[in-house]
Amino acid sequence: IEIDSREFMRGQPYQGRRPATVPVFQPGRELAFNFASIDMPVVSDAVKNAILQVAPTDVDFYSVAVLGSSNKYNILNAKCSLDCLDEARSEITRWEAADNQPERIGQIHVVSTIRVDPLRANDRHVFRLKVWRIALLVSETIVDAIKDIPNLGVVFKLAS
């Protein structure tokens, strides 16, 4: 079943058809946490189980076969997006007239450095930013739960 991977960046429960496979876009060693097409998180069962121990209500997982692999993988879907970006402390580039996207002028184009207002993060462990959904944010508790999984494949940057 083909899916639109952008559906998993909305920060809301996924309502579409259940995916079955994920193609490999860049061959190499298998990683426990990877981003497939359009930053759709694909994680191993070990990562899934560790996250479920900490944040079972923040995420959904959809079992998928990664073409060419016999290991079990899952699409991770953060079920919420939060308005917690601290714009004053973050490094933000906004759309400008020169970008030839008149409907987006003034909106956030890129967030180079993310700073989160912890009071507005509502003690969530996994979420997307409401104003820039490309970013998938996780709490330090999640980082601690998954950081020692072999071949993790993801680098964490502090957003506080």
Side-chain angles (χ1 to χ4, degrees):
I1 296 173
E2 267 195 51
I3 56 161
D4 183 349
S5 59
R6 294 174 293 187
E7 293 288 323
F8 295 96
M9 291 180 57
R10 296 182 182 206
Q12 61 189 32
Y14 175 68
Q15 301 296 322
R17 296 169 40 196
R18 296 299 182 247
T21 62
V22 174
V24 174
F25 291 103
Q26 188 171 12
R29 70 182 170 108
E30 290 190 38
L31 301 173
F33 194 130
N34 207 337
F35 288 96
S37 177
I38 311 181
D39 292 329
M40 178 179 66
V42 178
V43 302
S44 68
D45 274 355
V47 172
K48 170 189 165 183
N49 294 334
I51 291 174
L52 284 173
Q53 290 294 313
V54 176
T57 61
D58 289 355
V59 292
D60 284 327
F61 291 95
Y62 302 94
S63 181
V64 292
V66 172
L67 298 177
S69 174
S70 60
N71 293 323
K72 294 181 181 180
Y73 287 95
N74 311 272
I75 295 172
L76 180 158
N77 183 51
K79 296 193 306 188
C80 75
S81 61
L82 300 176
D83 184 18
C84 63
L85 181 66
D86 186 337
E87 291 189 33
R89 295 187 313 121
S90 299
E91 290 181 34
I92 297 171
T93 303
R94 295 188 181 276
W95 289 93
E96 299 176 352
D99 296 320
N100 294 318
Q101 299 278 333
E103 71 282 359
R104 294 184 172 177
I105 292 174
Q107 294 177 6
I108 292 176
H109 185 180
V110 175
V111 182
S112 307
T113 302
I114 297 171
R115 297 291 179 242
V116 171
D117 178 346
L119 296 177
R120 293 187 286 154
N122 298 328
D123 294 324
R124 291 287 186 157
H125 291 284
V126 182
F127 59 93
R128 299 268 184 185
L129 292 173
K130 190 166 286 234
V131 296
W132 200 60
R133 294 193 175 147
I134 291 171
L136 176 67
L137 283 82
V138 299
S139 69
E140 287 184 56
T141 306
I142 294 287
V143 172
D144 289 342
I146 69 173
K147 69 181 178 187
D148 294 326
I149 292 174
N151 297 317
L152 187 58
V154 68
V155 176
F156 299 102
K157 293 183 179 179
L158 189 62
S160 63

